[in-house]
């Protein structure tokens, strides 16, 4: 019989809640109280997440975010700034010791990205993993990914772009050199793509989630059983949301 | 003196470093290492910033210090390395 992992479909939530839930799952999984977990979620309102090591003020135009009602949050994972709007975000939480997870961090990125690639395949999109943390199709990025390891547990989260508004994204992100902003926007437009662009039609979130579920099941030879956050995870997520992810101390710390 | 650099690590990520340094003695007083790289454990970056205080702003000294911190605290960097960090820091000098 196939190993059973938990699938969480937590719907659309704020940036603060989304990041708090991923961290809460990591903590509770590290205590052996919940199985390896794959989660699919979205962002309402739209939000920018920045990598753990990034400077908020350097990366994000906070005034523009406030004007447009876009939230911003610092992740516990490294990597770059991401504008989360029309996308599916996944997360996977699993003990480092699990036989399906390579000990080598780069190899484990490749493995988890493999699940996303298989999911894309089920939508009719062929893609390749480009180290360090991108998945591209036809040379254009469709997914960005970031992993942390804490408490002997792996948390990787990443995006599957369903549609992309590069102009809006750049109205919210700061660029190192304003003079070349227009060129940068043109370049990025040529370097990113989306499910909608590739398939030439709108695809529902549920359809992308269905394909990703199969992708993770195939890659890891498991069965994903739909479940819920435990009471402990919910309580911990509330605490992290309040004390960390929505707190100025955390978001402005670098 | 306070100074900043932006350095794209070859085959790696974008490193943004800001340094406050004592020009007379050529040593780092304060440093902030930011960017879209990865480090395991993440908290090691704060440790690195603390340990780099009072280090001479010269390639050899920086490289040696950074390498020794990486080894001592079992830090794993992805998208940046000791050479990249050293280069980024040195680029803060006029």
């Amino acid at each position: 019989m196939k190993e059973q992992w938990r699938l969480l479909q937590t719907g659309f939530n704020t940036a603060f809640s989304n990041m708090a839930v991923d961290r809460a799952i990591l903590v509770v999984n590290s205590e052996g109280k919940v199985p390896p977990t794959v989660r699919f979620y979205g962002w309402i309102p739209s939000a920018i997440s920045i990598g753990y090591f990034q400077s908020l003020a350097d990366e994000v135009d906070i005034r523009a975010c406030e004007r447009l009602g876009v939230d911003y949050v610092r992740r516990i994972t490294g990597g770059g700034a991401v504008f989360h709007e029309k996308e599916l975000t996944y997360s996977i939480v699993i003990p480092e010791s699990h036989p399906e997870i390579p000990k080598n961090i780069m190899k484990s990125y490749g493995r988890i990205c493999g699940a996303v690639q298989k999911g894309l395949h089920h939508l009719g999109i062929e893609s390749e993993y480009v180290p360090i943390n991108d998945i591209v199709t036809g040379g254009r990025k469709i997914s960005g990914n970031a992993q942390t390891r804490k408490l002997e547990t792996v948390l990787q989260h990443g995006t599957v772009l369903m549609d992309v508004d590069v102009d809006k994204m750049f109205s919210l992100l700061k660029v190192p050199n304003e003079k070349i902003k227009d060129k940068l926007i043109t370049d990025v437009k040529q370097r990113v793509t989306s499910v909608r662009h590739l398939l030439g039609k709108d695809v529902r979130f549920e359809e992308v989630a269905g394909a990703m579920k199969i992708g993770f099941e195939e890659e890891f030879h498991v069965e994903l059983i739909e479940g819920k956050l435990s009471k402990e995870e919910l309580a911990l997520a509330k605490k992290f949301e309040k004390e960390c992810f929505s707190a100025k101390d955390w978001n402005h710390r670098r | 003196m306070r100074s900043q650099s932006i350095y794209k690590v070859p085959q790696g990520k974008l490193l943004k470093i800001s340094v406050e340094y004592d020009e007379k003695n050529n040593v780092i007083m304060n440093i902030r290492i930011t960017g879209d790289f990865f480090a395991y454990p993440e908290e090691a970056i704060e440790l690195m910033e603390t340990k780099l205080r009072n280090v001479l702003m010269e390639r050899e000294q920086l490289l040696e210090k950074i390498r020794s911190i990486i080894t001592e605290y079992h830090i794993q960097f992805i998208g940046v390395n000791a050479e990249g960090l050293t280069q980024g820091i040195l680029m803060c000098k006029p």
Side-chain angles (χ1 to χ4, degrees):
Chain A
M1 203 179 103
K2 280 182 183 165
E3 191 180 326
Q4 295 188 336
W5 291 359
R6 180 175 57 159
L7 174 67
L8 296 175
Q9 305 248 32
T10 53
F12 293 75
N13 288 289
T14 66
F16 318 117
S17 165
N18 278 337
M19 293 298 93
V21 167
D22 275 355
R23 185 172 162 197
I25 299 169
L26 184 154
V27 172
V28 178
N29 179 267
S30 78
E31 293 164 353
K33 294 173 185 164
V34 292
T37 297
V38 174
R39 175 185 171 223
F40 300 134
Y41 57 100
W43 307 65
I44 286 184
S46 304
I48 304 261
S49 77
I50 59 166
Y52 179 83
F53 306 104
Q54 292 188 299
S55 155
L56 181 71
D58 275 1
E59 303 297 331
V60 179
D61 186 336
I62 292 169
R63 282 186 157 181
C65 284
E66 282 163 359
R67 204 168 52 236
L68 294 170
V70 172
D71 285 340
Y72 49 87
V73 69
R74 179 181 303 280
R75 301 189 304 268
I76 57 170
T77 51
V82 182
F83 175 44
H84 305 276
E85 194 167 54
K86 291 162 189 161
E87 66 171 42
L88 173 140
T89 310
Y90 77 86
S91 66
I92 176 170
V93 174
I94 185 167
E96 263 184 307
S97 60
H98 194 285
E100 290 285 348
I101 293 296
K103 299 283 165 284
N104 177 284
I105 294 174
M106 283 311 301
K107 282 186 183 155
S108 67
Y109 266 102
R111 196 67 208 284
I112 297 168
C113 288
V116 176
Q117 289 177 260
K118 286 191 168 70
L120 285 169
H121 171 79
H122 281 279
L123 290 171
I125 296 167
E126 299 311 317
S127 62
E128 58 177 320
Y129 165 58
V130 178
I132 302 167
N133 57 329
D134 290 340
I135 297 170
V136 304
T137 178
R140 293 166 145 207
K141 179 167 170 173
I142 189 159
S143 163
N145 305 271
Q147 181 184 130
T148 183
R149 293 182 175 211
K150 293 184 193 302
L151 307 168
E152 295 173 3
T153 307
V154 175
L155 159 66
Q156 183 167 313
H157 42 207
T159 63
V160 177
L161 286 170
M162 293 170 58
D163 198 0
V164 62
D165 184 342
V166 176
D167 291 308
K168 186 172 180 188
M169 182 173 90
F170 274 100
S171 72
L172 299 161
L173 293 178
K174 286 193 179 165
V175 293
N177 183 349
E178 282 293 327
K179 283 182 198 159
I180 58 156
K181 188 164 179 171
D182 289 345
K183 167 147 181 12
L184 200 66
I185 293 173
T186 312
D187 287 352
V188 171
K189 278 180 182 169
Q190 286 167 1
R191 279 192 280 118
V192 299
T193 188
S194 66
V195 173
R196 181 173 184 268
H197 180 80
L198 290 162
L199 300 182
K201 59 173 183 181
D202 278 318
V203 178
R204 287 166 53 240
F205 182 93
E206 293 73 20
E207 198 179 326
V208 180
M212 288 299 142
K213 173 177 184 275
I214 300 169
F216 275 87
E217 287 180 331
E218 286 179 353
E219 178 68 31
F220 292 108
H221 318 292
V222 295
E223 195 182 346
L224 290 180
I225 305 294
E226 195 138 356
K228 285 183 176 171
L229 287 162
S230 70
K231 276 187 185 154
E232 192 178 354
E233 286 170 319
L234 282 167
L236 203 53
K238 275 249 152 38
K239 177 180 148 76
F240 288 151
E241 180 177 346
K242 183 164 177 267
E243 291 174 8
C244 177
F245 297 103
S246 65
K248 202 171 176 185
D249 277 4
W250 169 258
N251 289 318
H252 289 257
R253 68 184 283 164
R254 298 185 80 74
Chain B
M1 174 163 176
R2 196 186 287 268
S3 176
Q4 284 185 312
S5 75
I6 298 179
Y7 174 55
K8 165 76 170 68
V9 180
Q11 270 103 55
K13 298 290 189 178
L14 197 67
L15 198 53
K16 297 181 180 179
I17 294 181
S18 81
V19 174
E20 208 179 312
Y21 72 100
D22 175 346
E23 267 180 296
K24 204 175 105 205
N25 298 310
N26 196 29
V27 295
I28 295 173
M29 291 159 67
N30 246 314
I31 181 165
R32 173 121 309 183
I33 302 164
T34 67
D36 60 354
F37 56 88
F38 297 91
Y40 304 90
E42 285 81 3
E43 294 72 23
I45 204 73
E46 276 105 23
L47 186 95
M48 179 74 77
E49 289 170 345
T50 307
K51 299 263 173 194
L52 283 173
R53 282 185 199 148
N54 299 316
V55 175
L56 206 60
M57 292 266 281
E58 293 297 335
R59 187 173 300 275
E60 232 167 85
Q61 279 81 356
L62 282 168
L63 204 50
E64 192 185 321
K65 183 72 186 177
I66 292 168
R67 281 183 180 148
S68 78
I69 299 167
I70 289 174
T71 309
E72 188 177 351
Y73 296 95
H74 309 285
I75 303 168
Q76 193 176 341
F77 279 111
I78 293 179
V80 67
N81 52 23
E83 289 76 13
L85 285 167
T86 302
Q87 184 61 27
I89 295 169
L90 290 173
M91 280 169 65
C92 291
K93 289 217 288 192

